[in-house]
Amino acid sequence: LLLTVPAIRQLKQNCPDLTLHALVGAWGAPAIDRLPELSQIETLEFPGFTRQAKAGGLAPYRLAWQTAQHLRQTGYDAALILRPDHWWGAMLAHIAGIPRVIGFDVPDVRPFLTERVPFTRQHSVEMSLALASVITGQPLKSAEAHMHYPVTDDDRAQIDALLTELGAVKNQPIVCIHPGSGTQTKQWETSRWARVGDTLAERLGAFVVFTGSPSEVELCLAAAKGMTSAHDIAAGRTSVGGLAALLARARVVLGADSGPLHLAAAVGTPTVALFGPADVVEFGTWGDKTRHAVLTSDIGCLGCRILDWPNDAPENHPCVRDITLERVIVTALRLAR
């Protein structure tokens, strides 16, 4: 969702009279709820993305019908289906009778669209720009597409207080490590993060902060286990805005391919992102390549897009685990200086 921000901003800049609304999952709303370009944000438990228990085969269609009636009351002129494969969202817009439904020309989505954009393998930011260009009537340039997340004074105050509580010395350099990624296959070998943390703390004089969601506290504790340098765990202790402020304070942010690495880029902090099954071309960190490093192994099936292998040992899927400790440390030190 963060990767749609450049397109939203350019769309409003090029068509300032447009009123823009977003319909997103509640879990993602904080990524865009501060955008002044959006007049309204509505949330929906999108089938296929919610982590709630399944409610039966007809439930997604009942939800589409109910939501469509709500959308009809607003009377939208156009809908952009920003996720390329989101047939359900396209179907929803179609049922709602929205005159223009714009999306990518892929088989499952195609029947519900009024305007189809050829699908080409490119970065997610560029894909969103291509769809928004249909509304503006002119190409939107990726060179002008900048990630952005606004950090408030309250966010900064929250993090100042948290860092003091964690034991960081005032004005001490900060390094953030985000070991989680939502699926084990995308994660690095947990024990290596402690060695990375100790090395960066020693070389940069930094205080190391491990970040994550409330459900990732144990993972962060495991990642930090064995560290001898000053560090602590901030997982579950920040809002999204607070996390953004913390990442903005860091000299460098390291971690597996995840939303917080994109958030770090959106606040201007250098990043080291470790990629495996996710497609780097589509989801690599957006921004200046001299400030945002994407590390991969040379395994032949890299970017397979299979993010989960139930009941299979991580050792059988070494795409991320094969990235060496030395590469991560050397890259982080280069970006942090």
Side-chain angles (χ1 to χ4, degrees):
L1 193 56
L2 276 170
L3 297 176
T4 70
V5 169
I8 293 171
R9 297 181 75 195
Q10 286 201 42
L11 180 56
K12 185 66 173 179
Q13 289 166 8
N14 281 266
C15 303
D17 292 336
L18 283 181
T19 299
L20 301 180
H21 292 186
L23 181 62
V24 300
W27 51 85
I32 59 171
D33 63 6
R34 296 181 179 183
L35 287 182
E37 292 83 2
L38 293 174
S39 299
Q40 185 171 318
I41 297 175
E42 296 201 29
T43 60
L44 182 67
E45 296 291 311
F46 282 95
F49 300 99
T50 177
R51 295 182 181 178
Q52 303 299 319
K54 304 302 181 185
L58 293 178
Y61 301 97
R62 285 196 296 267
L63 179 62
W65 178 257
Q66 294 164 359
T67 306
Q69 307 319 304
H70 172 68
L71 297 181
R72 281 180 181 273
Q73 294 176 13
T74 301
Y76 290 102
D77 298 298
L80 295 179
I81 312 303
L82 290 170
R83 183 180 172 104
D85 60 354
H86 199 206
W87 67 268
W88 191 92
M91 179 186 70
L92 170 62
H94 174 74
I95 295 172
I98 297 175
R100 303 179 70 187
V101 183
I102 303 162
F104 286 102
D105 190 11
V106 298
D108 290 345
V109 180
R110 183 182 301 135
F112 306 111
L113 302 177
T114 63
E115 295 166 74
R116 303 173 180 89
V117 174
F119 178 81
T120 58
R121 185 169 175 257
Q122 56 185 333
H123 198 279
S124 181
V125 168
E126 295 170 315
M127 291 185 190
S128 295
L129 290 172
L131 292 182
S133 295
V134 177
I135 298 292
T136 63
Q138 59 184 357
L140 299 180
K141 300 176 181 178
S142 60
E144 299 173 3
H146 303 295
M147 292 289 291
H148 177 66
Y149 184 90
V151 177
T152 68
D153 290 339
D154 286 344
D155 296 330
R156 296 184 186 94
Q158 176 193 144
I159 293 310
D160 286 343
L162 177 60
L163 287 173
T164 299
E165 182 181 341
L166 295 178
V169 176
K170 186 176 181 179
N171 298 325
Q172 183 177 12
I174 303 296
V175 167
C176 289
I177 295 176
H178 190 89
S181 63
T183 175
Q184 195 175 44
T185 309
K186 294 168 66 176
Q187 294 172 10
W188 204 33
E189 188 174 335
T190 306
S191 61
R192 294 179 181 176
W193 287 120
R195 295 176 63 186
V196 172
D198 273 337
T199 302
L200 297 182
E202 178 184 350
R203 298 284 293 274
L204 301 173
F207 186 87
V208 178
V209 180
F210 289 82
T211 62
S213 67
S215 64
E216 293 172 326
V217 172
E218 293 301 320
L219 174 62
C220 288
L221 288 169
K225 185 178 180 180
M227 271 194 69
T228 58
S229 304
H231 70 281
D232 212 330
I233 310 299
R237 303 185 64 181
T238 65
S239 61
V240 173
L243 177 60
L246 174 59
L247 300 176
R249 284 282 304 275
R251 291 274 289 275
V252 64
V253 176
L254 304 91
D257 154 39
S258 63
L261 269 292
H262 293 295
L263 185 61
V267 296
T269 300
T271 61
V272 180
L274 281 59
F275 268 73
D279 188 350
V280 174
V281 172
E282 185 172 351
F283 295 112
T285 315
W286 183 263
D288 184 348
K289 300 306 180 188
T290 66
R291 291 175 54 81
H292 302 292
V294 173
L295 302 184
T296 66
S297 67
D298 57 3
I299 194 169
C301 55
L302 189 70
C304 67
R305 293 175 175 262
I306 303 174
L307 304 184
D308 198 14
W309 294 86
N311 305 317
D312 204 358
E315 291 78 9
N316 295 330
H317 307 279
C319 49
V320 178
R321 298 164 68 89
D322 280 354
I323 299 171
T324 66
L325 179 69
E326 181 182 13
R327 282 183 68 202
V328 174
I329 291 174
V330 168
T331 304
L333 288 172
R334 173 173 58 80
L335 293 176
R337 298 204 179 277

